[in-house]
Amino acid sequence: MLTYSFENRGQQSLYEYLYRQIKNDILSGALKSGEKLPSKRALAKNLNVSTITVENSYNQLMAEGYLYSVPKSGFYVSDITSLKPLETLRPERRQKKEIATSDYYADFANNSTLADTFPFATWSKLNRMTMSDYAKELMMRSPSGGILPLRETIADYLYQFRGMLVEPEQIIVGAGTEYLYGIIIQLLGRDKVYAVEDPGYQKITRIYEANNVICVHVPMDKNGVNMNALTATEADILHISPSHHFPTGIITPVSRRYELLSWASQDEQRYIIEDDYDSEFRLTGKPIPSLQSIDSAGKVIYMNTFSKSLSSTIRISYMVLPKALADRYSQELNFYACTVSNFDQYTLYQFIEKGYMEKHINRMRNYYRVQRDNLLNCIRSQKHFNKVKIKEENAGLHFLLEIDTPYSDEELIKRIAKQGIHISCLSQYFHDKKRAKEHTLIINYSGIQPERIENAVTGLFHGVFEG
Amino acid sequence: MLTYSFENRGQQSLYEYLYRQIKNDILSGALKSGEKLPSKRALAKNLNVSTITVENSYNQLMAEGYLYSVPKSGFYVSDITSLKPLETLRPERRQKKEIATSDYYADFANNSTLADTFPFATWSKLNRMTMSDYAKELMMRSPSGGILPLRETIADYLYQFRGMLVEPEQIIVGAGTEYLYGIIIQLLGRDKVYAVEDPGYQKITRIYEANNVICVHVPMDKNGVNMNALTATEADILHISPSHHFPTGIITPVSRRYELLSWASQDEQRYIIEDDYDSEFRLTGKPIPSLQSIDSAGKVIYMNTFSKSLSSTIRISYMVLPKALADRYSQELNFYACTVSNFDQYTLYQFIEKGYMEKHINRMRNYYRVQRDNLLNCIRSQKHFNKVKIKEENAGLHFLLEIDTPYSDEELIKRIAKQGIHISCLSQYFHDKKRAKEHTLIINYSGIQPERIENAVTGLFHGVFEG
């Protein structure tokens, strides 16, 4: 009969201690494969513990595969030849690494936002209100496309700021536009040909490629995607940013917009994905109507994100599906859980509904206008200002700086980096490198600390012309 | 010369009013396609406004495509035959719909958590601390796999509770396991054959199908996925939940685990996705070592979620990639932005790091144990208890109730629904309906209000045996 002393069990429960003793005997070979164990009652009596204690230990050993039971016979030791105990050592407590910060004095290549501009106090307050006012709703599963109040509020917001008439049911909320691109591919199909702008935001190409769909590049002319080039492709789906193209800054005029809609209407398979990512930050004049708002054939999927207007680290984006596609989504993809937590959804809902979003965007628009004007003034006051040309400074959060220089773009980037300044060039965004326009810097200014603008511009010019 | 009266411009700025007047004239045909407009200076003088006002109006009209400029000549009206003004009316303020709540008195088919069990006060406090302590970090882009402090904390947590030794770099944080499945497909390839358990959680099949990958179903035996059936398939990737299978409750013993690892090691392409979704809630005994922790060949992708342990509406899940796959991720998919907001990431990081997670899980384990015991007691006290059999009640947040009844499962569900109770049956989770086991109810108890247990059980039995 098995006998164990319980003297050294320390803090362990009787059951746990017994379980470990038997397990050790199995692992050491003291108990052999196929050997029969005493009945629960017999062992309990022998060890002077309750039957329940033995039962729990046996159950645990069975669950872990060390024992098996044979009905009406008893408990037997399993064949554990392949089984070894976990030999884990508590890992050395890793040194918490410092969060990586940019080593640059100023980063014009980065389009993130500054911490100071985020409305922490309001967001935090609404967060607290959400927790107290929506305790029950927060624990209820969100519909796949997002909670209804948020989608209704976004619909109102789109009407107010973009003149768009959409139903909440057409809106799908997701954790970032990148996630939503993946959903669009699932919705429209992997057998389609997707066209993107050249030059353009390369991440979009990478996402299509990671999803194994065919992705073609269509050259831009001064009004946006070139129509002849587009029709020459086999494209079914066209992915564009007509309100403000990154990085060229091109705003597609209304006439071209109608040409694009006309292209889309020529085939049932065709759709346009309209990425309206920074339309809130058109700094001069009124925004141009979105493609979605002048589309009468249900051919436009409109996308936008709060990552741009609030903070790049808040992952809330949305798309507006044409009604037929919204129906298809609800039939085929509705099983997906919404990727944005209810906490964020309800907080954002209140942020928009209570008017904070409008205020925030107005504040940010002014902030960015001042930021841009300071930058432009600093540029204009440079000794070598006559060798540069500022372009597309009226929209979005970046502009272009054409430079009269003998250096290649690669050399320019290095020379400017030596001044502690990170810069990107237009040429880097071309897929067709033969067409790439050289000597054009992209000045993203959303993440530049205001007090560093002057030094940053001086450093940039020094790097280009004197470094 | 164009002449407009500014008398009726109301609240509009001069520029905006002028822009509208000219636009209306273009739209009405008063200004015709190709017609030349006066120079900015001449029009300004004529209207007695500043040149800037006219310039702004012209720029806006150009940006919208109504005008075009010819260098050294002037401004001309575009061909706008296809262009119509937006005819949008402010939509009727939609009646905010009530948030849908379950119409059932008790819902055993739903595995969501109750609002009362979520640690609101702590979460809210940490949220506030996050906002004040991490203002700068919150605005910095998270690495694709999640912020380092959270991944380090998860690594420690996995060591402590699952005996797993993993590097933070192997951990990828994402907005829900469903999102991570999509990433796994991109990582392992669409040309692979994915195998899932039958019976099993159907959503997994739907995700594979929505991603157009081949998905085969492997029958379970009492120890988990049947090895003969598995080897008979062409499967490259096996997706399982060995710690606690839903809905059968099967715990795969160690011997079978080694067979599974052996299967995986037989081909370079093969991997096992180990979904460990509710391992924290093993109510009896110690958890069984994860497959990941006994895998020495780098063949297991471990997945878990905080949606289960905290709240189904917090969308934070993670996976642990074998080192080679973690490298592949960082080379090929690192461009994806993390889908969980920094706010949630830092809050969760503190929640785990400060020990709240451990406390919460202990509290919930006790809560669920009481919940389960109350349910079992209520069931045992029913008049018709002799006609039912309770199974797999020791793990996870559900158990099975086998019923001796002449009714079909469809009829059972209807009869029970008449009592205001929502139930699901094991048979619904079978892909191969011929193998489906009838007359077995699934009792999910995580979302049942404690005070309703007694009535719910009585109602259920009444529905089955007397209704």
Side-chain angles (χ1 to χ4, degrees), chain A residues 7-144:
Chain A
E7 271 173 25
N8 299 317
R9 72 180 166 102
Q11 301 279 316
Q12 296 176 69
S13 66
L14 287 170
Y15 122 76
E16 195 178 349
Y17 186 75
L18 179 59
Y19 146 79
R20 277 183 202 283
Q21 297 300 317
I22 300 176
K23 180 171 156 183
N24 284 342
D25 281 354
I26 294 172
L27 286 169
S28 71
L31 286 167
K32 301 230 161 12
S33 169
E35 195 169 335
K36 191 180 175 182
L37 264 66
S39 76
K40 291 181 268 188
R41 193 169 306 190
L43 184 57
K45 201 173 166 204
N46 186 44
L47 299 177
N48 199 20
V49 298
S50 77
T51 317
I52 296 289
T53 299
V54 178
E55 182 171 351
N56 284 342
S57 306
Y58 279 17
N59 283 345
Q60 177 69 21
L61 289 161
M62 282 207 295
E64 295 189 12
Y66 292 95
L67 295 186
Y68 61 93
S69 74
V70 175
K72 294 183 188 157
S73 166
F75 297 90
Y76 295 84
V77 177
S78 305
D79 176 6
I80 51 109
T81 36
S82 59
L83 202 154
K84 286 178 308 180
L86 267 177
E87 280 168 17
T88 49
L89 292 164
R90 168 91 187 159
E92 283 298 297
R93 185 87 191 150
R94 284 171 296 279
Q95 199 72 34
K96 295 271 184 247
K97 286 164 206 146
E98 276 291 301
I99 291 154
T101 51
S102 177
D103 291 332
Y104 292 102
Y105 175 78
D107 190 346
F108 289 112
N110 186 330
N111 60 0
S112 65
T113 43
L114 281 180
D116 325 353
T117 60
F118 182 77
F120 272 109
T122 309
W123 193 262
S124 187
K125 183 182 78 183
L126 294 177
N127 225 313
R128 277 201 300 282
M129 284 174 56
T130 297
M131 300 248 191
S132 58
D133 298 354
Y134 292 95
K136 193 175 161 205
E137 289 85 350
L138 283 173
M139 294 298 117
M140 299 181 68
R141 208 160 286 207
S142 162
S144 178

Side-chain angles (χ1 to χ4, degrees), chain A residues 348-412:
Chain A
L348 178 61
Y349 154 59
Q350 296 191 84
F351 192 78
I352 304 174
E353 186 70 15
K354 294 182 195 293
Y356 293 112
M357 182 64 91
E358 192 180 347
K359 273 185 213 152
H360 174 69
I361 285 182
N362 286 336
R363 194 167 65 87
M364 290 311 294
R365 208 185 275 131
N366 286 331
Y367 172 86
Y368 289 134
R369 193 181 286 121
V370 169
Q371 187 87 338
R372 177 197 61 175
D373 292 347
N374 286 346
L375 256 171
L376 294 175
N377 287 337
C378 285
I379 291 172
R380 291 192 186 108
S381 70
Q382 295 295 317
K383 191 166 71 180
H384 295 284
F385 175 58
N386 61 331
K387 293 183 194 139
V388 306
K389 212 168 142 186
I390 296 159
K391 295 181 92 174
E392 308 295 349
E393 71 273 29
N394 284 329
L397 304 176
H398 74 276
F399 56 83
L400 302 178
L401 201 61
E402 252 181 50
I403 297 185
D404 181 6
T405 174
Y407 298 117
S408 72
D409 282 4
E410 206 179 323
E411 287 166 323
L412 280 177

Side-chain angles (χ1 to χ4, degrees), chain A residues 266-303:
Chain A
Q266 281 159 33
D267 191 304
E268 212 187 317
Q269 308 271 25
R270 288 186 185 165
Y271 286 97
I272 296 174
I273 301 169
E274 176 182 30
D275 194 337
D276 205 31
Y277 70 103
D278 70 355
S279 60
E280 291 89 350
F281 297 114
R282 213 174 128 66
L283 303 181
T284 313
K286 289 172 69 68
I288 298 183
S290 68
L291 262 186
Q292 196 277 347
S293 65
I294 55 174
D295 163 35
S296 55
K299 285 298 193 177
V300 176
I301 298 172
Y302 174 94
M303 305 198 80

Side-chain angles (χ1 to χ4, degrees), chain B residues 19-128:
Chain B
Y19 146 80
R20 279 185 201 283
Q21 296 299 315
I22 300 175
K23 181 171 156 184
N24 284 341
D25 281 355
I26 294 172
L27 287 168
S28 71
L31 285 167
K32 301 228 159 17
S33 167
E35 196 170 335
K36 190 181 176 182
L37 263 67
S39 76
K40 291 181 266 187
R41 193 169 307 188
L43 183 56
K45 203 174 163 200
N46 186 45
L47 298 177
N48 198 22
V49 297
S50 78
T51 317
I52 298 288
T53 300
V54 178
E55 185 172 347
N56 284 342
S57 306
Y58 279 17
N59 283 345
Q60 177 70 22
L61 289 162
M62 283 205 296
E64 293 190 13
Y66 292 95
L67 296 185
Y68 62 94
S69 74
V70 175
K72 293 181 188 161
S73 167
F75 297 89
Y76 295 84
V77 176
S78 306
D79 178 7
I80 52 108
T81 36
S82 59
L83 201 155
K84 287 178 308 180
L86 268 177
E87 280 168 19
T88 50
L89 291 164
R90 169 90 188 160
E92 282 298 299
R93 185 84 192 153
R94 284 171 299 278
Q95 199 72 35
K96 296 269 183 249
K97 286 163 207 150
E98 276 290 302
I99 292 155
T101 50
S102 176
D103 292 333
Y104 292 102
Y105 175 78
D107 190 346
F108 289 111
N110 186 331
N111 59 0
S112 64
T113 43
L114 279 180
D116 327 351
T117 60
F118 182 76
F120 271 109
T122 308
W123 193 261
S124 187
K125 184 183 76 179
L126 294 176
N127 225 315
R128 277 200 302 281

Side-chain angles (χ1 to χ4, degrees), chain A residues 15 60 64 83 90 93-94 96 100 115 138-139 156 159 178 203 254 285-286 288 313 335 337 353, chain B residues 15 60 63-64 90 93-94 115 138-140 152 156 159 178 203 254 285-286 288 313 335 337 353:
Chain A
Y15 122 76
Q60 177 69 21
E64 295 189 12
L83 202 154
R90 168 91 187 159
R93 185 87 191 150
R94 284 171 296 279
K96 295 271 184 247
L138 283 173
M139 294 298 117
D156 289 347
Y159 175 77
E178 299 171 8
K203 208 186 247 190
V254 177
K286 289 172 69 68
I288 298 183
T313 56
F335 65 87
E353 186 70 15
Chain B
Y15 122 76
Q60 177 70 22
E64 293 190 13
R90 169 90 188 160
R93 185 84 192 153
R94 284 171 299 278
L138 283 173
M139 294 298 115
M140 297 180 69
E152 288 178 334
D156 289 347
Y159 175 76
E178 299 172 8
K203 210 187 245 191
V254 177
K286 290 173 67 68
I288 297 184
T313 57
F335 65 88
E353 186 69 16

Side-chain angles (χ1 to χ4, degrees), chain B residues 105-109 375 378-379 382 384 388 399 401-403 407 412-424 440-444 448 452-467:
Chain B
Y105 175 78
D107 190 346
F108 289 111
L375 256 171
C378 285
I379 290 171
Q382 294 296 317
H384 295 284
V388 305
F399 56 83
L401 201 61
E402 253 181 48
I403 296 184
Y407 298 116
L412 280 177
I413 290 169
K414 277 192 196 147
R415 292 173 64 94
I416 295 169
K418 272 197 193 143
Q419 306 292 321
I421 291 156
H422 193 200
I423 200 90
S424 61
T440 306
L441 309 182
I442 301 168
I443 311 287
N444 287 293
I448 302 293
R452 293 195 177 182
I453 285 180
E454 195 171 339
N455 286 341
V457 170
T458 306
L460 190 150
F461 273 79
H462 191 82
V464 172
F465 297 107
E466 297 172 35

